[in-house]
Amino acid sequence: MKTLEQAHQEFNYDQLVQEQLVGQPNAVNAYIECCQRYVGLQKTALIWEGKNGESEQWSFEQLDVASAQLANYFKSSGIQVGDCIAGLLPRTPELLITILATWRIGAIYQPLFTAFESKAIEHRVLTANTKLIVTNAEQRPKLNHVEVKHILTVNAGTNLTSNEADFWQEAEQHSDQCEAVLRSFDDDFLMMFTSGTTGLAKSVPVPLKAVLAFKGYMQHAVDLREDDS
């Protein structure tokens, strides 16, 4: 049996990257790894079922188009590489599109739990210096007193504030072509937060190198396989 030291010496990190990812440690993008690499294979990427019986299927090709349009909206709103974009959304197709669009432009995705109330959201947004929040009509009232430069709302309706826009109206006005911004493994792509059970929640930035660990977990712990739905 090999010792831990022997196993460590034999571990080839560069080989692992080549086997698992399209990109390299100094030229990687989470959108490419999670979506673009599968475009053209005509595979189902998402099967969504809503709480009221709705059902949708999205291919990688459809997610590629929608995330490009949303990414171009983000850029038109002044979002820069390394900025934080938060999603205050339930598990809908718009949530996945938001995440992919954020990563596509080299920005950092910040999840906001829909059970949070305004104060918890405000603390996390201020701490992360979040530039834009994507939400829906149900969650939107929680942001009434949260200072953020841009709010993008799914099914926003007609009562829009000066810093607010409708998700699909804006996305569909933009090009479906958007080149992914390459980053390094040490650059952050997620902005998580601690629970805050013993004090205020603290930010936990996650670097792109974690993509390897996430993929390994899905393969070996969850046992996700290529033919799974």
Side-chain angles (χ1 to χ4, degrees):
M1 180 180 294
K2 295 179 182 178
T3 66
L4 182 60
E5 182 178 357
Q6 288 173 326
H8 178 73
Q9 290 174 347
E10 293 178 8
F11 177 78
N12 189 321
Y13 182 77
D14 291 336
Q15 181 180 347
L16 180 63
V17 171
Q18 291 175 4
E19 291 174 350
Q20 299 293 324
L21 303 180
V22 174
Q24 296 296 307
N26 293 314
V28 65
N29 181 284
Y31 155 76
I32 292 176
E33 302 300 336
C34 295
C35 182
Q36 184 176 292
R37 67 187 296 176
Y38 304 107
V39 171
L41 299 180
Q42 304 302 320
K43 290 188 174 184
T44 300
L46 174 67
I47 300 174
W48 174 75
E49 294 185 357
K51 61 184 179 181
N52 296 317
E54 315 98 315
S55 179
E56 294 180 15
Q57 288 196 30
W58 286 72
S59 66
F60 286 103
E61 289 77 16
Q62 289 172 308
L63 289 177
D64 172 65
V65 169
S67 66
Q69 292 175 311
L70 186 59
N72 284 321
Y73 166 76
F74 288 160
K75 292 196 294 184
S76 74
S77 300
I79 304 299
Q80 303 290 321
V81 173
D83 284 345
C84 261
I85 295 175
L88 180 63
L89 288 167
R91 294 177 182 178
T92 59
E94 288 86 359
L95 173 62
L96 182 54
I97 292 166
T98 296
I99 296 170
L100 293 174
T102 299
W103 290 342
R104 194 164 185 156
I105 63 172
I108 300 169
Y109 178 69
Q110 177 187 8
L112 293 173
F113 187 31
T114 53
F116 285 155
E117 294 301 330
S118 295
K119 287 187 177 180
I121 293 169
E122 182 178 32
H123 168 70
R124 286 162 173 80
V125 167
L126 290 176
T127 301
N129 193 25
T130 306
K131 304 297 184 183
L132 186 150
I133 299 177
V134 182
T135 188
N136 65 3
E138 181 181 2
Q139 296 289 321
R140 175 62 184 84
K142 295 179 181 180
L143 303 178
N144 286 341
H145 303 291
V146 176
E147 292 187 13
V148 64
K149 192 171 183 180
H150 300 285
I151 299 174
L152 192 62
T153 305
V154 179
N155 299 324
T158 56
N159 298 320
L160 300 178
T161 61
S162 59
N163 67 332
E164 185 176 3
D166 181 88
F167 185 99
W168 286 112
Q169 287 181 10
E170 293 299 327
E172 290 171 355
Q173 293 179 29
H174 288 79
S175 169
D176 62 3
Q177 301 296 313
C178 181
E179 186 174 354
V181 176
L182 296 179
R183 305 282 278 154
S184 80
F185 262 11
D186 292 324
D187 290 319
D188 298 327
F189 79 121
L190 287 173
M191 181 60 72
M192 309 297 288
F193 272 77
T194 62
S195 63
T197 52
T198 59
L200 291 176
K202 298 174 179 61
S203 59
V204 183
V206 181
L208 271 160
K209 67 181 68 176
V211 169
L212 278 172
F214 294 159
K215 184 173 183 179
Y217 172 78
M218 295 301 292
Q219 287 179 318
H220 304 298
V222 178
D223 194 29
L224 184 67
R225 304 184 183 186
E226 186 173 348
D227 58 350
D228 286 335
S229 296

